[in-house]
Amino acid sequence: MHQPNEHDIYSLIGFTLTYIQSVERNIKFCTTFVLQGDTELTWERLQHIEGQERQKALGYFLGKVKERAQLFPAFEELLSEFLQKRNDFVHNQNKIPGWNLSTEDGALVARKFVVSLLRQAHMVNEIFATLVTKWQVQAKIDAPTTPDLQAYLKEIENRYGAYIDTFFSAQET
């Protein structure tokens, strides 16, 4: 994926929207496979889940994460803030104070908001990617990779790996 032109707010908005969609797919993957719970995963079960969840919004998947794991408070706060900013960005830009792409000052407000959202999305994505990586090791899944991807996964595991058990402690039943 190409980096956005930081001077072109529309490029930055498009890049951020595309990136957020990849974060949402990662979270959906985690709710479907990684944080599955006690239900045995069969092909039929996965098809059923896919059909039920096809049109669900990000808030639904974050709710599933909260149902299945006792989240560390700082991480839960990050997820809540990310969801709110994501929803404002996608659905309610008119509610973002100062957002106005027709003025220089408004475009600056938009740029700051989008960059902040992009940083949060990136952190959320790396945490969930680390969760997936740790799950793959635990489930003995040897996924195809490249040297660059391996290096990146190692880097984010070094950053977040020790926190995964804290961020996603077992939900008490």
Side-chain angles (χ1 to χ4, degrees):
M1 191 180 307
H2 297 292
Q3 291 294 331
N5 176 344
E6 63 186 51
H7 301 291
D8 177 9
I9 186 62
Y10 295 104
S11 171
L12 186 61
I13 288 170
F15 178 85
T16 303
L17 183 60
T18 302
Y19 188 75
I20 286 172
Q21 290 172 347
S22 71
V23 174
E24 291 177 17
R25 282 190 302 273
N26 195 9
I27 292 170
K28 181 180 177 182
F29 179 87
C30 286
T31 62
T32 302
F33 295 103
V34 180
L35 300 172
Q36 183 54 37
D38 296 335
T39 307
E40 181 181 343
L41 286 180
T42 64
W43 179 252
E44 292 78 21
R45 176 84 177 125
L46 287 175
Q47 294 291 40
H48 178 73
I49 291 170
E50 177 77 40
Q52 283 187 318
E53 295 181 346
R54 183 169 289 135
Q55 299 300 319
K56 301 288 185 183
L58 178 61
Y60 169 83
F61 295 108
L62 292 178
K64 286 287 195 191
V65 170
K66 291 175 185 180
E67 282 176 19
R68 297 174 183 167
Q70 182 68 38
L71 300 179
F72 188 69
F75 183 53
E76 188 166 1
E77 186 178 321
L78 171 66
L79 291 177
S80 294
E81 192 174 312
F82 167 67
L83 177 61
Q84 182 62 51
K85 280 187 173 182
R86 178 260 183 220
N87 286 343
D88 286 346
F89 173 70
V90 172
H91 302 292
N92 303 310
Q93 291 174 356
N94 60 325
K95 291 184 179 180
I96 300 169
W99 180 291
N100 181 350
L101 301 181
S102 300
T103 68
E104 199 171 310
D105 288 343
L108 182 61
V109 166
R111 184 176 291 110
K112 287 180 180 178
F113 181 90
V114 171
V115 167
S116 174
L117 173 60
L118 191 54
R119 286 184 177 140
Q120 282 183 327
H122 189 63
M123 182 181 291
V124 167
N125 202 38
E126 287 187 333
I127 291 168
F128 277 96
T130 304
L131 177 63
V132 170
T133 301
K134 288 181 138 312
W135 169 75
Q136 285 176 312
V137 169
Q138 183 181 25
K140 296 180 173 81
I141 298 172
D142 189 23
T145 187
T146 64
D148 287 343
L149 180 57
Q150 273 184 316
Y152 175 68
L153 292 174
K154 183 72 173 156
E155 177 185 323
I156 64 173
E157 186 170 343
N158 287 341
R159 195 172 318 136
Y160 298 110
Y163 300 112
I164 292 300
D165 291 336
T166 303
F167 286 163
F168 298 94
S169 61
Q171 183 69 277
E172 298 193 18
T173 55

